[in-house]
Amino acid sequence: YKSGNNTETFAVKVNPDNTTMPTVKYSTSDPSIATVVADSTDNSQVIITPKKPGKFILTVETTDGSNLKLSAEVEVVQLVEHISLNTTEKILFLEDGQTVTYQLIATALPTNATVLSNQDKFIWSSSDDTIATVNNKGLVTAVSPGTTIITVKANDVGGISATCIIHVSNNKIIFSTII
């Protein structure tokens, strides 16, 4: 989930297909993590409103006297909502016989995002590995002259990312001011 007031709706299916959907009620084992209610227009839909990250048991029970019950564990995760990098553009100068690297540092918000507790919290990539590569910790290595874009993406379903333009040059240009 993302911060703010959001809900997710899920369908409950009864088998076989020609069975009439019985009246059901929904419950949660931990209402501090999420609340659950039936959709007022469609009893086969459950509306889940997340409150905080955590796991709870969602239970669906028939109310028609058939005493059918189904439970499933549901996990509420806090998605990354923003990523920033220590720089958005960098020039790396190749030097003969030396490996030239630059450490990109990603910061994600909110700080309680579930993925931030994982070892592989970010996915790093280069748009052109022939110019510069990036490892899984954000270390950029210059390969040959040119420009590439390094992207860091949160390793969750939210799709939030940030980019840095990397220019690799084999010519050091020194600027001076003439007064």
Side-chain angles (χ1 to χ4, degrees):
Y1 87 105
K2 291 188 177 181
S3 298
N5 188 15
N6 56 357
T7 62
E8 292 289 334
T9 302
F10 298 92
V12 175
K13 184 170 177 3
V14 177
N15 287 320
D17 288 337
N18 63 353
T19 305
T20 303
M21 177 67 184
T23 304
V24 295
K25 68 178 181 177
Y26 301 95
S27 61
T28 175
S29 62
D30 191 341
S32 72
I33 295 174
T35 58
V36 297
V37 295
D39 185 318
S40 61
T41 60
D42 183 355
N43 188 51
S44 71
Q45 303 283 321
V46 59
I47 299 170
I48 299 176
T49 304
K51 302 285 185 189
K52 67 179 184 181
K55 293 180 181 179
F56 68 95
I57 303 297
L58 170 65
T59 302
V60 182
E61 291 181 74
T62 58
T63 57
D64 63 359
S66 62
N67 297 321
L68 298 175
K69 185 184 211 180
L70 173 69
S71 296
E73 184 177 71
V74 178
E75 183 175 13
V76 174
V77 297
Q78 171 67 57
L79 297 176
V80 169
E81 296 177 23
H82 177 77
I83 297 177
S84 61
L85 288 168
N86 55 325
T87 188
T88 57
E89 191 166 12
K90 183 72 176 170
I91 300 173
L92 301 177
F93 295 102
L94 287 172
E95 297 181 29
D96 289 337
Q98 294 188 5
T99 301
V100 179
T101 62
Y102 180 75
Q103 182 65 57
L104 286 172
I105 300 168
T107 305
L109 295 174
T111 57
N112 71 332
T114 304
V115 72
L116 297 180
S117 64
N118 298 340
Q119 172 111 10
D120 299 322
K121 57 187 125 223
F122 300 117
I123 299 169
W124 295 87
S125 62
S126 172
S127 64
D128 191 338
D129 286 337
T130 66
I131 295 170
T133 60
V134 62
N135 72 10
N136 63 352
K137 302 291 183 201
L139 183 66
V140 177
T141 302
V143 176
S144 65
T147 299
T148 189
I149 298 172
I150 302 297
T151 301
V152 59
K153 181 180 175 295
N155 195 7
D156 63 19
V157 297
I160 301 299
S161 64
T163 60
C164 176
I165 300 169
I166 299 290
H167 304 281
V168 178
S169 176
N170 56 6
N171 297 321
K172 243 187 192 177
I173 302 171
I174 300 172
F175 294 96
S176 62
T177 305
I178 300 174
I179 300 179

